[in-house]
Amino acid sequence: MRFCKTYDFDHGIKALQLGWSLAGPPMMTVYCYLFGETMVDTGQSHMKKEALALAGSHGVKQIFLTHHHEDHSGNAAAIHSAQGATVYGHALTQTKLRTPYDILPYQKYVWGKTTPVSVNALAAKIDTSLGCMMPVHTPGHSKDHTVYFLPEQGIIFSGDLYLGDRIKFFRSDEDVGTQIASLKKVAAMDFDTVLCAHNPCLKNGKKHILTKLDFLENLYGDIVFLWEKGISERQIFKKLKLREARFIKYVCCGNVSMLNGVRSVIHNIG
């Protein structure tokens, strides 16, 4: 099944929601955003035809990647080749996308692979049709994760920084402590709209960011408290009455699970 839906948001921002599966509804969809000649993230390569069509119709000339994950960078090379769009991202994104990299079977199935592409360095301030846009390095979900802030409109393109008020699972390579620091950095900014790659919040965006921050800080504190009492990670999981999304954990071969969040905190505190 191919899922493609477009939305028109304020300030002339268009959102493209993309999803793919062999049969039935997609396991997860992803949003990429366009305004003027600018595109933020490019969707998964399984949906290259749709992403190329929209980028072409908008005459996209510059692409800004929030991070290297294949649901965000999947069509960057194709759009660059088709219309000469320049791709920008964090220095770590540049390094990651310089050559092919290995992904797990579930990532290949859900998103598809990312084709290597030349990524240019980010300026401290970026000129766009909506005024100055500022990149803000926000690691945690990935080391290269970056959000883009439009201060005049009070909008952030948040990639995977937000996702939801409460998190049901974590990737094995996520760093919960670093995510908390990144959420605090963003919460200090002046915005109301969070254009998340999976769950956009058109109003009360800062409130949602603060709610997630509160959730992660409480989870982190509870895990530290129990770990310092000598309780094992699996006992902590049970004592905090955390739940696994078993289907997701199974399909992702354990790479995505709630237990990964407990392990990340324990790793942080040594």
Side-chain angles (χ1 to χ4, degrees):
M1 175 183 176
R2 303 179 76 86
F3 177 91
C4 179
K5 189 171 182 179
T6 58
Y7 304 86
D8 292 307
F9 294 158
D10 290 345
H11 307 292
I13 297 172
K14 186 177 289 290
L16 179 65
Q17 185 184 14
L18 300 170
W20 180 92
S21 70
L22 282 173
M27 185 182 297
M28 186 180 289
T29 62
V30 61
Y31 289 81
C32 42
Y33 298 96
L34 301 96
F35 59 97
E37 297 180 339
T38 299
M39 188 171 188
V40 178
D41 286 337
T42 63
Q44 62 274 60
S45 61
H46 283 332
M47 298 297 289
K48 180 169 69 174
K49 177 182 175 182
E50 291 80 358
L52 274 172
L54 193 66
S57 69
H58 279 256
V60 168
K61 294 301 182 186
Q62 52 183 6
I63 296 168
F64 294 92
L65 299 176
T66 58
H67 57 304
H68 73 276
H69 288 167
E70 51 279 359
D71 52 327
H72 300 260
S73 64
N75 296 307
I79 297 169
H80 167 72
S81 294
Q83 54 198 75
T86 305
V87 183
Y88 297 92
H90 189 271
L92 293 173
T93 311
Q94 296 177 47
T95 301
K96 191 71 175 182
L97 295 185
R98 193 170 292 148
T99 57
Y101 60 92
D102 293 333
I103 57 176
L104 294 171
Y106 86 89
Q107 294 169 308
K108 186 176 180 180
Y109 168 76
V110 176
W111 312 122
K113 287 188 173 182
T114 290
T115 300
V117 64
S118 177
V119 178
N120 291 264
L122 290 165
K125 294 183 179 180
I126 301 158
D127 290 329
T128 77
S129 61
L130 293 179
C132 171
M133 184 168 77
M134 301 167 58
V136 182
H137 186 211
T138 51
H141 175 72
S142 66
K143 292 179 181 179
D144 62 330
H145 196 280
T146 301
V147 306
Y148 297 96
F149 177 41
L150 289 169
E152 293 177 33
Q153 288 74 29
I155 295 171
I156 60 169
F157 297 96
S158 63
D160 286 350
L161 177 69
Y162 169 62
L163 298 179
D165 289 2
R166 296 177 63 87
I167 302 304
K168 297 179 180 178
F169 38 74
F170 298 84
R171 286 171 56 116
S172 60
D173 56 353
E174 287 188 84
D175 186 323
V176 176
T178 305
Q179 279 192 51
I180 289 172
S182 291
L183 286 163
K184 286 180 177 178
K185 182 191 297 186
V186 169
M189 294 155 43
D190 186 15
F191 62 92
D192 189 56
T193 299
V194 172
L195 295 182
C196 173
H198 300 283
N199 183 20
C201 303
L202 302 182
K203 294 186 180 300
N204 300 314
K206 178 174 281 195
K207 180 180 178 181
H208 286 290
I209 290 286
L210 289 170
T211 300
K212 178 178 180 178
L213 174 60
D214 184 64
F215 167 75
L216 287 185
E217 286 187 315
N218 285 328
L219 178 65
Y220 193 101
D222 289 343
I223 292 169
V224 170
F225 177 78
L226 293 173
W227 178 253
E228 290 179 345
K229 285 182 171 292
I231 297 174
S232 72
E233 64 181 33
R234 292 192 179 275
Q235 288 175 319
I236 290 172
F237 190 90
K238 290 180 180 179
K239 281 186 173 292
L240 295 181
K241 298 180 179 179
L242 301 175
R243 295 179 179 274
E244 287 287 15
R246 294 190 179 278
F247 175 75
I248 296 294
K249 184 177 181 180
Y250 173 77
V251 168
C252 299
C253 305
N255 181 250
V256 176
S257 76
M258 193 64 187
L259 185 60
N260 287 337
V262 176
R263 288 172 174 163
S264 174
V265 174
I266 291 171
H267 178 77
N268 261 261
I269 61 178

